[in-house]
Amino acid sequence: MRHIAIVGSGPAGYYTAEAAQKTWGRDVAIDVFDILPVPYGLIRTGVAPDHQSIKGVARRYEKTALNDNVRFIGNVAIGRDITVETLRELYDAIVLATGAPRDRDLGIPGADRVNVFGSAAFVGWYNGHPEFADLAPDLSGSTAIVIGMGNVALDVARILAKSPAEFAGSDIVGHALDTLKASKIERIVLLGRRGAHQIMMTPKELGELGHLERASPHVAKSDLPDAADDAMLEPGLRKSVNLLRDFAATPEHIRAEKPIGIEFAFCAQPIELIGDEKVQEIAIERTEVVKGRAVGTGEISTLPAHLVISCIGYRTSPIPGVPFDERAGRFASDEGRILPGMYCVGWARRGPSGTIGTNRPDGQRIVAMIAADMEAGILGPASKEGRPGFDTFAEQHDLDIITFRDWKKIEDAENAAARDGAPREKFVDIEAMIKARD
């Protein structure tokens, strides 16, 4: 019997568990650890609450979790409750699937002012992540600046712009919905350092902006490249740029019928956030795109900025005892192999790129690597204690473990607490989650 520990219960973690289960069947025992008492990681706290169809992939992970040789171990933090060294003593292989839960530093003066947030924090706030439940963003100002030109920036802009009625069927948490209902924001500016041909927005998500009840997207025609140049783009990006052209063609009187404007500001890089204690303005420098890179022109202007959300990427959280690439913001590895018997997968391996589905072949690839290392004798004989050894450790150290059966009780309580039309009302407090198990 081989014993594998997977640290992280999001898409990368469960796709890896699925691949391991299919590879070794009954000859492997897989323990999936998570710092939270609840599973699914990015699916629960990262995917937009109004994208319920995407969250449905959790049903696939549940099928894997319900196998007898796959166990969920929630409410256990690696590095706090148990060291990596102890895990290596207990398990034949450790796979780090912790994702990239930290925001990249904005790195400009004023980034520490009040009402400036990274997208991990802001998205975590409206998605009910316990770490960010008390974020309390102030939406009483008129202008929100969203820095970034990817799908996360689109999610943030859309959530800020939606009417209360448009959240029907979503699982946005109650405290965030109440704050959004009282919002005074009437202008949302999406700020990107490069041009329209360099956006990272996919057509489906971008197209949603054109169907909002009270918000209208706007693109200045002068910000768009010559249409003939679109032919060089790959098909998905070409569709996205066509949508930008549609937004630019919307007549002014049509846009004026809606009270909230969503503006795209291309070739504009933030250089300073201005205000006393709370942010009030943002200084931006005009750029030009040279060989795909944004180069500053020295032309400076300012915009009102009463709320600023930076959506410029994420970093993996380091774990004591695990080699880490500070520059890349992820674990240091050779294509996923960190040390003998230690691997990483998903965003913890490749950085925050790809879709949820990208993690499936990634998990399969890492499992194949583990199998090859077993075959080569790198992992040694199947003599580790694995699950029984961890259970002894947990009892000795009084760890309060949450099992998948416990999670199902938490899930039932969340479903029962849902407001009308919502699938669930998430617990945003860890103690409340644990209490719902009892």
Side-chain angles (χ1 to χ4, degrees), residues 72-112:
F72 173 68
I73 302 175
N75 200 37
V76 174
I78 310 306
R80 180 193 70 193
D81 298 319
I82 185 171
T83 65
V84 165
E85 288 77 9
T86 300
L87 279 184
R88 294 185 74 187
E89 292 171 2
L90 293 174
Y91 293 87
D92 295 291
I94 302 169
V95 182
L96 302 180
T98 54
R102 301 294 169 197
D103 286 297
R104 274 186 58 200
D105 186 4
L106 185 55
I108 62 174
D112 58 349

Side-chain angles (χ1 to χ4, degrees), residues 31-54:
D31 284 348
V32 181
F33 292 83
D34 203 291
I35 189 172
L36 291 178
V38 294
Y40 305 144
L42 185 71
I43 300 300
R44 180 179 171 92
T45 59
V47 173
D50 55 347
H51 284 173
Q52 288 297 304
S53 61
I54 297 175

Side-chain angles (χ1 to χ4, degrees), residues 263-285:
E263 304 172 23
F264 287 76
F266 297 107
C267 293
Q269 66 180 4
I271 58 173
E272 184 179 5
L273 298 175
I274 303 164
D276 294 327
E277 180 180 352
K278 182 179 176 184
V279 65
Q280 293 293 328
E281 289 184 312
I282 183 169
I284 58 177
E285 180 180 14

Side-chain angles (χ1 to χ4, degrees), residues 321-397:
V322 180
F324 193 78
D325 184 340
E326 285 288 348
R327 184 174 178 276
R330 59 179 183 262
F331 296 119
S333 76
D334 180 9
E335 297 299 320
R337 186 184 286 108
I338 301 174
L339 296 168
M342 183 185 295
Y343 310 84
C344 55
V345 69
W347 283 9
R349 180 186 75 83
R350 65 181 189 271
S353 62
T355 65
I356 289 170
T358 306
N359 293 293
R360 187 180 178 217
D362 205 10
Q364 293 169 339
R365 184 176 167 281
I366 294 301
V367 166
M369 184 180 290
I370 296 172
D373 286 353
M374 288 180 180
E375 183 70 21
I378 294 173
L379 303 189
S383 59
K384 299 290 183 75
E385 290 184 79
R387 184 175 297 180
F390 173 77
D391 288 345
T392 299
F393 176 92
E395 184 176 353
Q396 291 174 344
H397 292 79

